[in-house]
Amino acid sequence: YINYTTVTGFFLQDEPTTNSGTFDYSTVNFGLINRTYPTDDEVPADWTQWQKFEHYVWRLNRGSGRFVQYKVLYMGRHGEGYHNVAEAYYGTPAWNCYWSIRDGNGTVTWADARITENGIAQAEKANAFWASHIISQKIPVPQTYYTSPLTRCLETANITFFGLDLPSRKPFIPTVKELFREGISGHTCDRRGTKTYIHDAFPTYKIEPGFSENDLLWKPLQGEVQVDENIRSKTALDEVFSSDDSTYISITSHSGEIASILQVLGHQSFGLSTGQVIPVLVKAETIEAKPIATATQP
């Protein structure tokens, strides 16, 4: 089985003193801490912090052995969706008890919600951040992209990475991955569209093998408990880490799902507002033994 740990000390988001409620990745170089690395004497002194970090991670992987790998996950929450606006408008109790199980209110639709104008602006902000830091900081761009199958993530990923100066051998062609979806609830905003809809609306995206035509996981008035979501998140991470050789990976997902992934990675709790992004340096060790029990309840 694969055991995941977060390698701390590299990003402000790893630090207990960082306030997630007011944190903005775009003002602090993605949260990368200005520090020295043991490998700094191997690189030019005028390299940027990101270049030095990239070299250090490369060294970690080169010396890690057969059963250990290090990856950097750039996890972004989708831009503001119409369901977010509706919950804020009606209030969480009324949203949970009444409005969330409907497709909309006759004026606005939030089933498999699209992103709002504000959500579009948040994704454009991320795009501008990447564009500037690719040039000024030589930030390592994702080598592989994954996205939740829900429309708000499909849209956010497209706006975030469209038109960037990416390597021709590593273009922005995201894989739509079922298990990176939001925590499954009875809310209609968590019900995805059909495979045909996703293919027609985002024809350049890859859809993972085995992706069903209809949403087989969402059921009205039913949902998964936290331990189930964490097991689902670990399954998704296991699939990625077992099949993807990339070191830098982008995952466009949701607040609840990213929170679940962070738990699986042993990262401290760090809430993301819409449009925010968190990078995590992950150590994944393949252990030849029986997996440790992760849950004691059905």
Side-chain angles (χ1 to χ4, degrees):
Y1 71 98
I2 303 176
N3 183 66
Y4 298 99
T5 53
T6 295
V7 186
T8 59
F10 295 91
F11 297 101
L12 293 171
Q13 295 93 324
D14 304 337
E15 303 296 312
T17 55
T18 302
N19 183 350
S20 64
T22 58
F23 188 82
D24 184 353
Y25 73 92
S26 68
T27 63
V28 287
N29 198 20
F30 241 145
L32 185 65
I33 296 172
N34 289 323
R35 50 159 291 184
T36 60
Y37 306 119
T39 55
D40 282 355
D41 60 349
E42 301 174 5
V43 302
D46 62 350
W47 270 21
T48 69
Q49 190 69 44
W50 273 107
Q51 286 176 300
K52 294 175 182 177
F53 173 75
E54 183 178 18
H55 179 75
Y56 177 70
V57 173
W58 176 78
R59 271 291 181 199
L60 285 177
N61 276 317
R62 185 166 184 182
S64 64
R66 179 181 172 189
F67 297 107
V68 175
Q69 56 180 319
Y70 294 87
K71 295 185 186 295
V72 176
L73 303 183
Y74 298 119
M75 292 185 285
R77 183 185 177 188
H78 61 79
E80 178 189 74
Y82 282 100
H83 65 305
N84 300 126
V85 175
E87 181 175 355
Y89 177 77
Y90 289 114
T92 298
W95 170 254
N96 284 335
C97 294
Y98 183 82
W99 291 106
S100 66
I101 62 176
R102 287 156 174 78
D103 286 356
N105 61 6
T107 302
V108 174
T109 299
W110 51 69
D112 190 16
R114 300 178 67 91
I115 56 176
T116 65
E117 288 298 319
N118 184 47
I120 293 172
Q122 291 170 339
E124 290 174 340
K125 170 185 170 181
N127 180 277
F129 173 86
W130 277 106
S132 66
H133 280 61
I134 288 172
I135 296 173
S136 66
Q137 299 298 317
K138 305 295 190 294
I139 184 172
V141 297
Q143 299 161 309
T144 314
Y145 303 82
Y146 296 94
T147 177
S148 156
L150 293 163
T151 296
R152 53 193 180 272
C153 289
L154 301 171
E155 291 179 326
T156 298
N158 187 54
I159 297 170
T160 298
F161 296 106
F162 179 78
L164 295 178
D165 185 15
L166 302 174
S168 58
R169 65 187 184 282
K170 297 290 183 180
F172 171 63
I173 302 177
T175 297
V176 180
K177 194 160 185 61
E178 182 84 88
L179 297 185
F180 279 144
R181 64 192 293 164
E182 179 61 298
I184 302 167
S185 70
H187 299 184
T188 60
C189 60
D190 296 333
R191 183 184 67 216
R192 71 163 171 85
T194 63
K195 180 179 180 180
T196 299
Y197 155 75
I198 295 172
H199 176 269
D200 291 347
F202 302 89
T204 62
Y205 288 20
K206 293 191 299 184
I207 299 178
E208 67 177 345
F211 194 88
S212 61
E213 172 64 20
N214 296 308
D215 190 347
L216 303 180
L217 299 182
W218 187 90
K219 295 178 175 59
L221 302 181
Q222 294 187 32
E224 61 185 349
V225 295
Q226 187 62 58
V227 67
D228 287 335
E229 185 174 1
N230 289 355
I231 291 171
R232 169 165 66 83
S233 298
K234 187 176 189 304
T235 299
L237 289 174
D238 286 353
E239 291 172 356
V240 170
F241 276 73
S242 298
S243 63
D244 193 333
D245 292 333
S246 298
T247 300
Y248 297 88
I249 294 174
S250 167
I251 301 172
T252 304
S253 190
H254 311 259
S255 58
E257 176 58 13
I258 292 174
S260 174
I261 293 173
L262 291 178
Q263 286 188 36
V264 173
L265 298 177
H267 193 284
Q268 70 167 351
S269 176
F270 197 90
L272 299 181
S273 57
T274 52
Q276 286 291 308
V277 188
I278 181 171
V280 182
L281 175 58
V282 179
K283 177 183 179 182
E285 182 178 8
T286 300
I287 298 174
E288 293 184 320
K290 288 186 177 181
I292 299 172
T294 57
T296 57
Q297 61 185 10

